[in-house]
Amino acid sequence: LYLNLMGSSNNTVELSGKAMYEKEVVFTPFSRSHFIIAKTFASSLFGRYELGAHLAIEKGEQQYLKMKGGIVWAQTLWFHRCLCVFAMARANKTKERKYMAQAKRIHKELTNSLKNKNPNILHYVSLLNAEKAALKHTKNQEDDVRKLYNDAITMSARGGYVHDAALAQERFADYLLNIAGDFNEARYHIEGAIQRYTNWGAMGVV
């Protein structure tokens, strides 16, 4: 995954190289859970949202990937899963209901975790709030959606989560370009996302 993000691999979401070839690995349930996490992260960061959404919806290894009592990366995984299904709900209107049902469930669980004093996911929930609002977008709510995205960017950046700030700017740019029709502002945030990904060392994403 790290080599993919750094641009040192010819792959983006495929986790294959000298160390392993994903199609030939025989996984244990525990090792497969880590594979799914890496695959989901890659899908989210490389914009392969359909693959990420598919991984979110399919069943398997739930004892390791559950949000409560799962492995240490579980809540980060669920954030990226939720982002992928929100993104697909925006992109694929014919299957919006299917994706929204999954997104709402995960979003609710992460929100409840935040309410139960888990500060580590504040910036995650902030971006997901923006994604949810963007799907319900009406012209008179545009300012509210913009504020939610800007809050998510600021919160991630202040917390030192450079890659999450970049992701928030990328998603904001998508909203501005494809829903709000604000080309100039979208360009500003795409350039900001590129700079943040570059600072993080993710030249493969850029």
Side-chain angles (χ1 to χ4, degrees), residues 10-206:
N10 294 325
N11 301 312
T12 53
V13 297
E14 184 176 310
L15 305 178
S16 298
K18 292 181 179 179
M20 65 169 277
Y21 181 53
E22 66 172 47
K23 294 177 181 178
E24 296 180 352
V25 175
V26 178
F27 292 105
T28 65
F30 184 70
S31 65
R32 178 166 171 77
S33 69
H34 284 79
F35 169 75
I36 290 173
I37 290 171
K39 193 85 167 174
T40 302
F41 288 3
S43 299
S44 177
L45 292 170
F46 282 106
R48 294 285 299 277
Y49 301 121
E50 187 171 7
L51 174 59
H54 171 74
L55 291 170
I57 292 170
E58 76 172 3
K59 305 296 183 182
E61 290 73 52
Q62 296 304 316
Q63 69 269 36
Y64 301 112
L65 299 178
K66 59 185 179 181
M67 198 173 299
K68 294 180 181 179
I71 59 180
V72 67
W73 289 101
Q75 291 187 329
T76 301
L77 165 71
W78 284 99
F79 159 69
H80 284 287
R81 282 183 158 181
C82 194
L83 186 71
C84 286
V85 288
F86 267 137
M88 286 307 299
R90 183 192 298 180
N92 190 334
K93 294 302 181 183
T94 60
K95 295 183 179 180
E96 180 179 357
R97 182 175 295 182
K98 170 187 173 182
Y99 290 124
M100 277 301 295
Q102 187 76 6
K104 285 180 179 179
R105 182 182 67 80
I106 301 172
H107 181 241
K108 182 179 180 180
E109 287 197 49
L110 286 168
T111 301
N112 288 339
S113 181
L114 179 63
K115 289 177 180 178
N116 290 330
K117 308 283 190 285
N118 183 353
N120 297 321
I121 61 170
L122 179 60
H123 65 296
Y124 290 163
V125 173
S126 182
L127 177 52
L128 295 176
N129 288 343
E131 288 286 303
K132 184 178 180 181
L135 280 166
K136 296 181 177 179
H137 167 268
T138 60
K139 193 63 179 176
N140 64 347
Q141 294 174 319
E142 189 173 305
D143 288 343
D144 294 335
V145 176
R146 287 173 182 257
K147 183 180 185 304
L148 286 169
Y149 273 113
N150 279 313
D151 287 348
I153 294 163
T154 301
M155 206 170 295
S156 297
R158 286 180 177 173
Y161 305 104
V162 179
H163 56 302
D164 291 327
L167 184 58
Q169 283 198 277
E170 185 180 354
R171 292 301 300 158
F172 189 19
D174 180 86
Y175 164 79
L176 291 165
L177 184 63
N178 295 309
I179 298 180
D182 189 340
F183 176 81
N184 290 330
E185 188 75 4
R187 180 177 178 179
Y188 170 80
H189 283 287
I190 280 291
E191 290 174 348
I194 289 171
Q195 186 60 57
R196 291 185 194 276
Y197 279 130
T198 301
N199 292 344
W200 191 47
M203 299 304 296
V205 177
V206 172

